[in-house]
Amino acid sequence: MAASESTIDTSDMIVCRDVHKWYGNFHALRGVTTTVRKREVVVVVGPSGSGKSTFIRTINRLEEHQRGDIIVDGIELSNDVRNIDAIRRDVGMVFQSFNLFPHLTAMDNITLAPMKVRKLPARQAEEIAEQLLERVGIAEQASKYPGQLSGGQQQRVAIARALAMQPKIMLFDEPTSALDPEMIKEVLDVMRELAESGMTMVVVSHEIGFTREVADRVLMFDHGQIIEESATEEFFDNPKEDRTKLFLSQILA
Amino acid sequence: MASATDTPPGVVLPPPITERGGVGWAYANLFSTWYNTVLTFIYAALLGVALWFGLSWIVLEADWKVIATLGGRLIIGQYNTEFACPGQNCFWRPQASLLLVSVLLGMAWAVSGDKAAKRIAIGVAAITVAFAFLPYSMDQMGLDVRLLLVANLPAVAAGWVLARYTPLGTVRWIVILGVLFFLVILVLVGGLPGVPGLQPVSTIYWGGLMLNLLLAVTGITLSLPIGIALALGRRSSLPLVKLLCVVFIEVMRGMPLITLLFMSQVLVPLAFPQDFSTNSLFRAGVILTLFSSAYMAENIRGGLQALHPGQVEAARALGLAGWQTTLLISLPQAIRNVIPAIVGQFISLFKDTLLVYIIGMLDVVEFSRAFIQGNAKYLASARELFLFLALVFWIFTYTMSYVSRRVEAHLRVGHR
């Protein structure tokens, strides 16, 4: 154990080694091994049901893995609740269905965790929230409830909410899949800006343009395994696996 | 493409007749087909007959004197009788309690942004003042009684001023004062041994509408928190906690309230010291509260189960602890989603308070029944009396559902 830990470079933000996950008898993740380095943007693609969402959700333990190791920012994910809480504080997550809290305003959605978890005073949390709303381009919507915002605006509030905890890693689980076409761009623009600022990001997405432009690396999932993993250009221009070629031909069609 | 009937761009057409005014409404809903027209006339005839006979009975035949005769006794039952409160006039004590309620209503009016609080506060003040001017003779309704009734108007005003111009004007203070006033009311009505003017009145003699309201308020305020605790307990991952909550809820829901009250009357005295067990009021309060809590727990649990799992996931992903997620995310949403069911439970609890007659307590309905049976002169007036009681109960239950609608309207802000 000690020997393997010493091989972890401090710039490795997420290390997964032979991660397995079962839902009952269904083997959802079948030995996933990969490393995400600091400031890297990794996009995860694959057909539906291939385990890519399950994979991203094991990183902050919304799903529990049953075998293998996941080490996030030097902390190993185990059943130790303190470790899980520590990791969740440093890992922001954005969901396909936004999951904003409908009973709170956009401002309160963003300030809640900094105040309750980081124990920031209200004034300071609000200042951070105002800056973040400015950054995602909806400063004027602070006092509105999620139900009064468009899908794209909701997702941008959700991104601001995750950023308010000042995370070291951001996870995006199909952040644009539930959006109308004209709203996808406004969310992708925010994500692009975030990537340029040096955030470590893992993104499950089918947005090919965005991936080509922003991703450092692409992981191709199929049947709970990473079947191909390569630098972005290599992945699109020179895919090795037949399954990847088929997948690309389908989504690029 | 364009045909002669196409609407040119930019032209706004008036809506069809069925969308316009009373005539359009009647046409669309009452006379749209020949059989709807026939049904409309049949129902109109039935309604006319019912109204004709109902109103003519109410106005011409009914003898409402029984209500005037009972008067304040409908509110307090036997409380001010010679054996309940010997040698003193105790009527002022429930009346003073009502003044405290009026102060709270005035405060709620000033703090709440909604017209419901204002309407209720003004309504209570108006009704009490109106009663003070009823044309009774002075030995039926003394000057002191009238003055204390009229005092509800300044009490509401005082509450309003208090909330508007002092730091007490917050929801938190109204809740604190509400609890405080409730205890003061219990002392006022129950009395304190050795204090002149506050001689103790045994709870046996507490009765009338006052008894229904005391039991309902106690049950409503306690069953909500207990119900929340039971609902969370039933969803707990600790097997023992879960088991205890499930057993409690299912036992309470599995027994009729009458049976529970009856058992409390027969069985509890066997297990507890006599002073404690002879207090029917206390037992009735406990049983009603626990009974209502079990139903409340299931309402809240329903609300919790209807929550999208993404809500809890998002909260946990932000690093909120489990208890923070429950208190700040799950419960507020669950409760507002089941407000209609919760208020339904409140209303049913209020109506259930009249079942305490099972354990020998004279609530307003039982007191009225006993009065009619004991006074041959009024035997023929039962219909008038109970119709009046139905109206009183309806006013209270309707007020509850009115408040719940207003609360819902406010909490729905921004919800889809």
Side-chain angles (χ1 to χ4, degrees), chain B residues 54-360:
Chain B
L55 284 178
S56 65
W57 179 80
I58 287 174
V59 176
L60 301 175
E61 288 173 48
D63 180 5
W64 300 98
K65 212 187 294 158
V66 61
I67 292 152
T69 309
L70 275 167
R73 280 184 282 172
L74 282 176
I75 312 286
I76 60 168
Q78 296 176 294
Y79 183 79
N80 198 27
T81 51
E82 187 53 34
F83 38 90
C85 197
Q88 278 190 18
N89 183 358
C90 288
F91 202 10
W92 69 272
R93 284 151 65 170
Q95 282 199 290
S97 305
L98 182 58
L99 290 180
L100 291 178
V101 175
S102 289
V103 171
L104 281 181
L105 287 175
M107 292 180 74
W109 170 10
V111 170
S112 163
D114 193 86
K115 56 183 186 289
K118 174 182 172 180
R119 285 181 178 171
I120 292 170
I122 292 177
V124 167
I127 290 173
T128 47
V129 170
F131 269 91
F133 290 99
L134 283 180
Y136 287 137
S137 64
M138 268 299 166
D139 52 308
Q140 272 177 303
M141 196 202 254
L143 186 64
D144 54 340
V145 174
R146 288 176 199 265
L147 285 177
L148 279 170
L149 277 173
V150 173
N152 280 290
L153 188 63
V156 167
W160 190 89
V161 170
L162 200 64
R164 184 56 60 95
Y165 296 109
T166 71
L168 295 181
T170 62
V171 174
R172 178 183 299 238
W173 270 108
I174 291 181
V175 171
I176 292 172
L177 286 179
V179 174
L180 198 69
F181 284 5
F182 183 75
L183 298 174
V184 171
I185 287 172
L186 285 185
V187 171
L188 256 179
V189 177
L192 275 179
V195 178
L198 275 181
Q199 63 168 302
V201 178
S202 165
T203 53
I204 302 167
Y205 302 115
W206 298 25
L209 195 59
M210 174 179 82
L211 177 66
N212 297 82
L213 291 176
L214 273 175
L215 286 171
V217 168
T218 312
I220 284 170
T221 37
L222 292 180
S223 67
L224 188 59
I226 296 176
I228 290 172
L230 284 169
L232 295 176
R234 188 163 185 170
R235 287 165 60 91
S236 165
S237 52
L238 305 170
L240 185 64
V241 174
K242 183 176 176 155
L243 180 74
L244 286 175
C245 291
V246 170
V247 168
F248 178 85
I249 291 170
E250 295 309 338
V251 166
M252 282 290 160
R253 294 204 308 160
M255 279 204 269
L257 180 56
I258 294 180
T259 312
L260 286 169
L261 286 168
F262 191 68
M263 277 172 57
S264 78
Q265 173 87 341
V266 178
L267 297 182
V268 173
L270 298 176
F272 291 98
Q274 204 172 12
D275 282 352
F276 172 79
S277 60
T278 50
N279 191 336
S280 301
L281 179 72
F282 180 77
R283 267 182 291 150
V286 170
I287 294 290
L288 277 169
T289 303
L290 295 182
F291 181 78
S292 187
S293 303
Y295 284 88
M296 199 62 78
E298 290 297 275
N299 289 340
I300 308 262
R301 196 168 67 95
L304 287 169
Q305 275 174 342
L307 275 191
H308 190 280
Q311 290 292 310
V312 172
E313 282 179 1
R316 300 311 300 272
L318 283 167
L320 290 171
W323 63 271
Q324 287 175 318
T325 304
T326 301
L327 277 186
L328 300 168
I329 306 300
S330 307
L331 270 181
Q333 292 186 59
I335 289 175
R336 74 183 54 194
N337 286 341
V338 295
I339 285 175
I342 290 176
V343 176
Q345 185 55 38
F346 287 168
I347 289 174
S348 118
L349 171 65
F350 175 63
K351 291 188 294 187
D352 282 347
T353 56
L354 60 81
L355 291 176
V356 295
Y357 82 89
I358 292 285
I359 56 175

Side-chain angles (χ1 to χ4, degrees), chain A residues 23-63:
Chain A
Y23 293 108
N25 281 328
F26 178 65
H27 200 170
L29 294 181
R30 311 180 180 185
V32 174
T33 301
T34 191
T35 301
V36 178
R37 295 167 66 86
K38 199 168 190 169
R39 303 173 77 85
E40 202 176 19
V41 176
V42 174
V43 170
V44 183
V45 298
S48 112
S50 61
K52 50 194 195 305
S53 273
T54 307
F55 165 67
I56 201 174
R57 287 158 62 88
T58 56
I59 295 171
N60 64 352
R61 211 173 179 81
L62 287 181
E63 303 289 350

Side-chain angles (χ1 to χ4, degrees), chain A residues 80-97:
Chain A
D80 189 332
V81 178
R82 281 166 306 173
N83 280 356
I84 297 172
D85 284 347
I87 286 171
R88 282 176 176 162
R89 278 195 291 273
D90 287 341
V91 179
M93 186 155 197
V94 175
F95 300 86
Q96 179 177 354
S97 52

